[in-house]
Amino acid sequence: MLTHPCDKCEVKEHTHLILDALDGSAAAAVRVLDDSPHYALFCGTAADTVEWWEEIFPLVEAYFVRMVSVYVAIATVEHRPTLSYPTSSLLGACMLRILDALPQDSREEMHSAVPEDAGHFRHTYLSGHHHGEIGWALKKLGFDILDTPLQGDIERRVQFCERQRFSATGELPPVNLADRHYPAFTYLPRDREGGAVSELRRFRPKQLPPRITAIRVTLGESAPAAPADPLGRTHIGYAPELTPQELWERGRGVWKLRADHVAASTIVLIVFDKTIVLVGSITGMVSDHQSGQPSRGTAELVADSARS
């Protein structure tokens, strides 16, 4: 809730004006993209990295135009001489959103084309120097800051292209962009290779955040173990008075896990009631506990170095 109830109405009316100015901002948004070396680098990298890029690029560019148009519209309504957010930060935020929608195998290489100062769109606000409630009001009026359906649109387009490997006929699947507040603009392939090379000489890519893959094991409350417990335990489950060693004995197995997930993970998280109660380091896998033979897609976890 806002401090003053009248502010809520003012922000909503202000946001209505921004959405009304959105269509008229498309031409200026396209000029921003045409003049940006960061956008040229991103598109050039994608053309060399992402399969079916030409087929999904119209969707990608529509998203860029849509988000840049919002900032152009804000500048127009608020009589700002320039955008309320640095161009590289705004385009970088769009790029990160696009990466979330691209196939997994192309994301890491594409990340090298995202500028270091890239912003990030949240679910309920837009980054930048303007009224902090504009993002909230946009969501209330039906404008999806993250454009959630974008990922589904790209997936359907890629799946269709994959099927066309074995078919000589067909049309691209329809994409319903109704009620998405996409500005009216004509998509045309453009040559953006002539961006400002001097600016790109200072280009620094955004570093990938460190990622730690983990296996999660969820425990219930403490209870007697089954008579034929394969590890010979008398009790299973979580109890607050357990030492780390006792808790590890209850949490370490036997669990059916996908072997590829275990192989890609470095730690195991023991969870009770949505809270991590213990962490262990994964040292390897063993074959199926009962038969001694590798099970289909499953493995038993072998871990040590448990710690609170």
Side-chain angles (χ1 to χ4, degrees):
M1 297 296 294
L2 299 176
T3 306
H4 305 291
C6 60
D7 288 351
K8 188 174 182 180
C9 298
E10 290 176 2
V11 169
K12 188 174 181 180
E13 182 63 27
H14 185 67
T15 307
H16 270 300
L17 295 175
I18 292 172
L19 292 179
D20 290 342
L22 199 60
D23 276 348
S25 304
V30 172
R31 286 196 296 272
V32 170
L33 298 178
D34 285 342
D35 295 339
S36 171
H38 297 102
Y39 187 61
L41 176 64
F42 183 81
C43 295
T45 305
D48 296 334
T49 305
V50 181
E51 191 174 15
W52 309 117
W53 176 251
E54 291 185 3
E55 284 73 16
I56 66 175
F57 185 44
L59 288 171
V60 170
E61 182 147 89
Y63 177 77
F64 273 97
V65 173
R66 174 179 183 267
M67 295 309 302
V68 177
S69 292
V70 173
Y71 281 81
V72 173
I74 291 173
T76 301
V77 171
E78 298 182 353
H79 306 289
R80 295 175 179 268
T82 58
L83 301 183
S84 62
Y85 207 42
T87 303
S88 60
S89 299
L90 170 57
L91 297 184
C94 293
M95 293 171 189
L96 291 176
R97 173 66 185 94
I98 296 299
L99 291 190
D100 289 340
L102 291 179
Q104 182 70 40
D105 57 358
S106 62
R107 293 181 191 176
E108 185 169 352
E109 188 168 351
M110 285 298 301
H111 207 281
S112 65
V114 179
E116 184 182 37
D117 63 342
H120 194 74
F121 297 133
R122 303 296 181 182
H123 286 273
T124 55
Y125 72 86
L126 294 169
S127 302
H129 307 291
H130 50 69
H131 198 299
E133 298 297 332
I134 288 180
W136 165 84
L138 284 170
K139 293 288 286 185
K140 288 292 184 180
L141 294 174
F143 184 95
D144 183 1
I145 295 171
L146 293 181
D147 189 16
T148 303
L150 176 67
Q151 184 163 354
D153 290 340
I154 289 179
E155 287 177 353
R156 284 192 295 273
R157 191 67 65 97
V158 170
Q159 288 170 1
F160 176 85
C161 292
E162 290 287 348
R163 290 197 298 269
Q164 290 304 98
R165 291 182 189 271
F166 310 100
S167 173
T169 62
E171 298 179 355
L172 289 177
V175 178
N176 181 16
L177 301 181
D179 301 323
R180 303 241 200 118
H181 295 287
Y182 271 73
F185 84 105
T186 303
Y187 166 74
L188 294 173
R190 294 176 174 86
D191 179 14
R192 295 190 173 89
E193 298 303 321
V197 178
S198 59
E199 186 172 344
L200 286 180
R201 288 198 186 105
R202 301 190 298 273
F203 177 81
R204 297 181 63 182
K206 188 177 183 67
Q207 298 298 314
L208 277 168
R211 296 184 60 187
I212 299 177
T213 53
I215 297 295
R216 184 176 68 176
V217 170
T218 302
L219 298 182
E221 294 185 355
S222 181
D229 182 77
L231 299 181
R233 296 169 298 183
T234 59
H235 287 77
I236 59 174
Y238 174 79
E241 68 275 7
L242 295 175
T243 66
Q245 291 73 22
E246 291 171 331
L247 182 57
W248 178 247
E249 285 302 315
R250 296 192 181 193
R252 68 184 182 90
V254 176
W255 302 93
K256 291 184 67 176
L257 303 167
R258 283 184 52 180
D260 55 339
H261 286 185
V262 177
S265 302
T266 56
I267 60 175
V268 56
L269 307 177
I270 307 297
V271 178
F272 171 74
D273 192 24
K274 300 181 181 179
T275 302
I276 298 174
V277 294
L278 198 72
V279 179
S281 302
I282 297 176
T283 58
M285 296 180 293
V286 298
S287 60
D288 179 72
H289 192 276
Q290 294 179 343
S291 66
Q293 298 298 323
S295 56
R296 289 175 291 184
T298 66
E300 182 192 346
L301 192 62
V302 178
D304 58 14
S305 303
R307 57 189 184 274
S308 305

